[in-house]
Amino acid sequence: MKRIAILGSTGSVGTQTLDVIAHDRERYSVEALTAGHNIELLLKQIEQFQPKLVSVHTKEHAEEIKLRTNNNIQVFWGAQGLLAAATDTDADLVVTAVMGSVGLDSTLAAIEAGKHIGLANKETLVSGGHLVTDAAAKYGVRLLPIDSEHSAVFQCLNGEEAKAVKTIILTASGGSFRDKTRDQLKGVTVEQALQHPNWSMGAKITVDSATMANKGLEVIEARWLFGADYDHIRVLLHPESVIHSMVEFIDNSVIAQLGNPDMRIPIQYALTFPGRHITPTAPLDLAKIGNLSFREMDLTRYPCLAMAYESGRLGGTAPTVFNAANETAVSRFLRGEISFLGIEEVIAETLEQQVVVPVRALPDIREADRWARLVASSVQPLSS
Amino acid sequence: MKRIAILGSTGSVGTQTLDVIAHDRERYSVEALTAGHNIELLLKQIEQFQPKLVSVHTKEHAEEIKLRTNNNIQVFWGAQGLLAAATDTDADLVVTAVMGSVGLDSTLAAIEAGKHIGLANKETLVSGGHLVTDAAAKYGVRLLPIDSEHSAVFQCLNGEEAKAVKTIILTASGGSFRDKTRDQLKGVTVEQALQHPNWSMGAKITVDSATMANKGLEVIEARWLFGADYDHIRVLLHPESVIHSMVEFIDNSVIAQLGNPDMRIPIQYALTFPGRHITPTAPLDLAKIGNLSFREMDLTRYPCLAMAYESGRLGGTAPTVFNAANETAVSRFLRGEISFLGIEEVIAETLEQQVVVPVRALPDIREADRWARLVASSVQPLSS
């Protein structure tokens, strides 16, 4: 039996993790769940999965949970509650599916508590790449990627020697605007940006797919997860999103992982690694899909991806600044403050103004993040 | 340094094996080479690779080799010479690239001498599947597949547990007549049959690609190599031959191996397994290829494949009879004696007449093979 804690159990990855667990109930015990404000869903999850510990965003939520559950369950709240869920249980594996920078703190804490990590929080490796990978090595814990691309690479690397890897090839659908020229991007609306062709995801990540900022963050994550340098991480346009990513080896053999666009496959793999188990997902039907297509990635078409590579290569606080500037810019776009092309301008201007410093500890990241959000909030893009 | 013996060094796989070795000369020593009648090429190979032992088809050839080489080399001939090359050297790995049923005898002998096998001879597993896999288990040697499909599956299985495998998916280009209906196959010529769209191969195997008999033999080989039952080995039409084969796991994750149609990749993998090394081959350029397509395999369109599955399921001598009937029928087609569609008729009629017996030892296989060739030589197909 595997003992699991899920940080962010009411979000997309959290609920799908519980769906995987529900389909093979005897294999898992749920040690801890945490949520933000979605108390009703959390209460249902508590009833179904009987965690020993839960944590929520506020004291009020915590009191409500206490009132509506039995006394066997420990209820915490806030940042300390999240850390308790990450560290103070018998969990073997902590799924870190919270959004934003709190994910980094709680992932680091879980690693230091000797927990293997099912990693679904982007900031963790983008901002804290070397802190987190150093800690994972020091405490002997596994970082098991929970997203389709990195799980694909992780699966392709199964049984292979690190020195045999030539190139990590991340596939990208191209997002909702993949068939538009840069000129055609000028007038696009928020509504158009939210139509992702293959995956149903949140607004932020759907916009990030359209700008390719999302793929840029994945490139930075891949650098840390797989110890590859940026010259050996490529992005290939693959509109159908059936090949989730690939590894090219030094003998020019390429191993790819394929599947339906169903997050439960990478989630389950992180839970069952190094084994595999039967799944509630549908099998892939390549004959029905018929065609897979591939195009070279054009970095001038997708400047956010180019800026992500540049930030990754700069290192230090640069990826944190890139990520924070992007988040701020996307929020402003979603609020109608700036245009779609304004997103990349805001990021570019913020990167332009930054002073990159090394990341020695979490405060360096927090300061860079705070600074970048401030700058990105005030930049007035020309194209808005 | 890996010590290699190559049975059949002047054939297609043999010469490409030596090409791989030539590109990384310090990594390998060539212990033995064998050839049939291509003495001139063998003499060049002897000069370049300095084997300690060679064997050729006839005593006359052996005497010529002795005259034209120095005295440090042992020269043998005939069936006994082939067995000496398979067993009487310090080779760690014997590449069995001889054609036909002599491949089975020499592979078994090499296994019993404790040599790992780089397996490029089809008859070995088609006819001797359980003899060979039992011997490999008993003597603790690896069967390393040397062809693109089985090497692909072997690579996809790297690091995975056997119980996690759901389906082995062999891809098939569809051969030279893949876009013709069965009706359109009636008038096709030998010349048309020899135009394979992706791979440049010998006449026999090119015809086998067009009839799908080749894929049928691969299905039977896969059954033995990977211990899968026939219900869990599928064939998928994939005209571009870029995905060389795939494995679907029980979690519905699919791992595929991709590459250019260059036999040196699977050959080198067998030589370097479990590692990988830099290769003389060209990298795969998916963006340049652009599209990969897939279609369901239609067994009524390709009755030779259906008969191969049926023979595999029957077991015993049935796969030997299928293989021998096919070889005989293809020879007759290439000589102009029967039509293209006559091939499947000859096989069907031979299978119809067979009495399947269990394979306890090599003589059972030899007898079935002899009988099938005799019958298949005399069947008069209606369509010729």
Side-chain angles (χ1 to χ4, degrees):
Chain A
M1 179 169 285
K2 220 162 207 170
R3 292 164 297 186
I4 314 282
I6 306 174
L7 312 186
S9 68
T10 58
S12 167
V13 168
T15 53
Q16 293 184 83
T17 304
L18 287 171
D19 186 39
V20 168
I21 290 173
H23 274 85
D24 204 354
R25 203 63 197 84
E26 294 75 46
R27 196 177 294 280
Y28 307 101
S29 78
V30 176
E31 301 294 318
L33 297 176
T34 83
H37 300 286
N38 194 343
I39 298 307
E40 294 308 320
L41 180 54
L42 182 64
L43 281 163
K44 279 185 200 148
Q45 293 177 342
I46 290 169
E47 197 184 334
Q48 186 177 356
F49 297 98
Q50 305 283 324
K52 298 175 186 71
L53 185 158
V54 298
S55 180
V56 285
H57 195 59
T58 65
K59 195 178 174 187
E60 291 68 39
H61 289 329
E63 279 163 4
E64 189 175 348
I65 297 277
K66 274 185 199 163
L67 273 177
R68 295 173 62 185
T69 55
N70 65 42
N71 291 330
N72 296 333
I73 186 168
Q74 292 181 278
V75 184
F76 295 91
W77 60 277
Q80 288 308 311
L82 188 64
L83 290 178
T87 60
D88 291 349
T89 73
D90 293 330
D92 313 302
L93 176 76
V94 177
V95 174
T96 60
V98 284
M99 304 273 282
S101 55
V102 289
L104 171 54
D105 305 41
S106 49
T107 303
L108 262 181
I111 291 171
E112 287 165 7
K115 315 292 191 191
H116 296 300
I117 304 296
L119 189 63
N121 169 272
K122 275 213 154 57
E123 285 76 7
T124 297
L125 287 177
V126 169
S127 290
H130 88 82
L131 295 182
V132 170
T133 51
D134 284 0
K138 181 174 170 188
Y139 292 94
V141 311
R142 290 191 197 108
L143 298 177
L144 299 157
I146 296 190
D147 64 4
S148 62
E149 290 81 358
H150 299 105
S151 178
V153 172
F154 189 65
Q155 292 178 56
C156 293
L157 291 173
N158 217 351
E160 301 284 351
E161 299 172 346
K163 66 180 181 185
V165 175
K166 187 162 87 179
T167 315
I168 287 169
I169 303 169
L170 301 177
T171 54
S173 71
S176 36
F177 298 143
R178 68 182 170 217
D179 297 320
K180 289 195 192 300
T181 62
R182 284 191 57 80
D183 225 44
Q184 291 170 323
L185 290 177
K186 281 176 185 161
V188 298
T189 65
V190 170
E191 205 173 21
Q192 289 172 310
L194 295 183
Q195 306 298 317
H196 191 280
N198 304 328
W199 294 82
S200 162
M201 305 179 292
K204 156 73 166 56
I205 194 169
T206 303
V207 175
D208 283 352
S209 288
T211 62
M212 210 56 80
N214 182 51
K215 206 54 54 177
L217 296 170
E218 288 175 3
V219 166
I220 298 170
E221 287 185 279
R223 181 259 171 271
W224 292 108
L225 271 173
F226 308 117
D229 67 71
Y230 289 100
D231 292 340
H232 293 94
I233 305 172
R234 276 183 57 208
V235 177
L236 186 67
L237 271 173
H238 169 42
E240 297 82 6
S241 298
V242 167
I243 294 187
H244 293 146
S245 279
M246 298 178 251
V247 176
E248 178 187 49
F249 292 93
I250 52 174
D251 59 358
N252 287 332
S253 179
V254 175
I255 303 289
Q257 190 268 343
L258 296 75
N260 289 319
D262 188 325
M263 277 301 292
R264 291 174 301 176
I265 296 177
I267 290 170
Q268 181 174 301
Y269 190 70
L271 264 50
T272 64
F273 178 85
R276 295 180 186 271
H277 297 309
I278 288 173
T279 168
T281 64
L284 179 70
D285 187 343
L286 274 176
K288 195 173 169 194
I289 292 165
N291 262 284
L292 304 182
S293 61
F294 305 90
R295 297 202 302 267
E296 214 58 80
M297 172 55 68
D298 176 1
L299 291 181
T300 60
R301 167 68 180 77
Y302 291 107
C304 288
L305 179 57
M307 289 188 283
Y309 267 104
E310 190 195 321
S311 302
R313 288 191 169 104
L314 279 171
T317 50
T320 300
V321 169
F322 171 80
N323 178 57
N326 178 58
E327 271 191 36
T328 308
V330 172
S331 296
R332 293 179 66 191
F333 167 66
L334 291 172
R335 285 198 305 270
E337 281 178 40
I338 61 173
S339 71
F340 182 76
L341 288 177
I343 296 170
E344 64 196 46
E345 281 188 68
V346 167
I347 301 171
E349 181 57 30
T350 310
L351 294 180
E352 185 67 31
Q353 293 185 30
Q354 77 181 326
V355 178
V356 178
V357 298
V359 171
R360 293 146 308 187
L362 291 180
D364 300 319
I365 293 170
R366 283 193 205 110
E367 170 54 24
D369 185 89
R370 193 196 56 77
W371 175 86
R373 285 175 203 274
L374 201 69
V375 173
S377 299
S378 60
V379 169
Q380 268 316 317
L382 297 172
S383 56
S384 71
Chain B
M1 180 169 283
K2 219 162 209 171
R3 291 163 299 186
I4 314 284
I6 305 174
L7 312 186
S9 68
T10 58
S12 169
V13 169
T15 53
Q16 291 183 85
T17 304
L18 287 172
D19 186 38
V20 167
I21 290 172
H23 274 86
D24 204 354
R25 205 60 199 84
E26 295 76 45
R27 196 176 295 280
Y28 307 100
S29 78
V30 176
E31 301 294 317
L33 297 176
T34 84
H37 300 287
N38 194 344
I39 299 307
E40 295 308 320
L41 179 54
L42 182 63
L43 282 164
K44 280 185 199 148
Q45 293 177 341
I46 291 169
E47 198 185 333
Q48 186 177 357
F49 296 97
Q50 304 284 326
K52 298 175 186 70
L53 185 158
V54 299
S55 180
V56 285
H57 195 61
T58 64
K59 193 175 176 189
E60 292 68 39
H61 289 328
E63 279 163 3
E64 190 176 347
I65 297 278
K66 274 184 198 163
L67 273 178
R68 293 173 62 186
T69 55
N70 65 41
N71 290 331
N72 297 333
I73 185 167
Q74 292 181 280
V75 184
F76 295 91
W77 59 277
Q80 288 308 311
L82 188 64
L83 290 178
T87 59
D88 291 348
T89 72
D90 293 329
D92 313 300
L93 175 77
V94 176
V95 174
T96 60
V98 283
M99 304 275 280
S101 55
V102 288
L104 170 55
D105 306 39
S106 49
T107 302
L108 261 180
I111 292 172
E112 286 164 8
K115 314 292 191 191
H116 296 300
I117 304 296
L119 189 63
N121 169 271
K122 275 214 153 56
E123 286 74 7
T124 296
L125 287 176
V126 169
S127 290
H130 88 83
L131 295 182
V132 170
T133 51
D134 284 359
K138 180 173 171 189
Y139 293 93
V141 311
R142 291 191 198 109
L143 299 177
L144 298 158
I146 296 190
D147 63 4
S148 62
E149 290 81 358
H150 299 104
S151 178
V153 172
F154 189 65
Q155 292 179 56
C156 293
L157 290 172
N158 217 351
E160 303 283 351
E161 298 172 347
K163 66 180 182 186
V165 175
K166 188 162 85 179
T167 315
I168 287 168
I169 304 169
L170 301 177
T171 54
S173 72
S176 37
F177 298 142
R178 67 183 171 217
D179 298 320
K180 289 193 192 301
T181 62
R182 285 191 57 78
D183 225 45
Q184 292 171 323
L185 290 177
K186 281 175 183 162
V188 297
T189 64
V190 169
E191 204 173 22
Q192 288 171 311
L194 295 182
Q195 306 296 317
H196 192 279
N198 305 327
W199 293 84
S200 164
M201 304 179 294
K204 156 72 167 58
I205 194 168
T206 303
V207 175
D208 283 353
S209 288
T211 62
M212 211 56 80
N214 183 50
K215 207 53 56 178
L217 296 170
E218 288 175 5
V219 167
I220 298 171
E221 288 185 279
R223 181 259 171 273
W224 292 108
L225 272 173
F226 308 118
D229 67 71
Y230 289 101
D231 293 340
H232 292 95
I233 305 172
R234 276 183 57 208
V235 177
L236 186 67
L237 271 173
H238 169 42
E240 297 83 6
S241 298
V242 167
I243 293 187
H244 293 145
S245 279
M246 296 177 252
V247 176
E248 177 187 47
F249 292 93
I250 53 175
D251 60 357
N252 287 333
S253 179
V254 175
I255 303 289
Q257 190 266 343
L258 296 76
N260 289 318
D262 188 325
M263 278 299 293
R264 291 174 300 176
I265 295 178
I267 290 170
Q268 182 174 300
Y269 190 70
L271 264 49
T272 63
F273 177 85
R276 295 180 185 271
H277 297 308
I278 290 174
T279 169
T281 63
L284 179 69
D285 187 342
L286 275 175
K288 194 172 168 192
I289 291 164
N291 263 284
L292 303 182
S293 61
F294 305 91
R295 297 201 303 266
E296 215 58 81
M297 172 55 68
D298 176 1
L299 290 181
T300 61
R301 168 68 180 77
Y302 291 107
C304 288
L305 179 56
M307 290 188 282
Y309 267 104
E310 190 194 322
S311 301
R313 288 191 169 103
L314 279 171
T317 50
T320 300
V321 169
F322 171 81
N323 179 58
N326 178 58
E327 270 191 37
T328 308
V330 172
S331 295
R332 292 178 66 192
F333 167 67
L334 290 172
R335 285 198 304 269
E337 281 177 42
I338 61 172
S339 71
F340 181 76
L341 288 176
I343 296 170
E344 64 196 44
E345 282 188 67
V346 167
I347 300 171
E349 181 57 30
T350 310
L351 294 180
E352 187 66 32
Q353 293 185 29
Q354 76 181 327
V355 178
V356 178
V357 299
V359 171
R360 293 145 308 188
L362 291 179
D364 301 320
I365 294 170
R366 281 191 206 111
E367 171 53 23
D369 185 271
R370 193 196 56 78
W371 175 88
R373 284 173 203 275
L374 202 68
V375 174
S377 298
S378 60
V379 169
Q380 267 316 315
L382 297 172
S383 57
S384 70

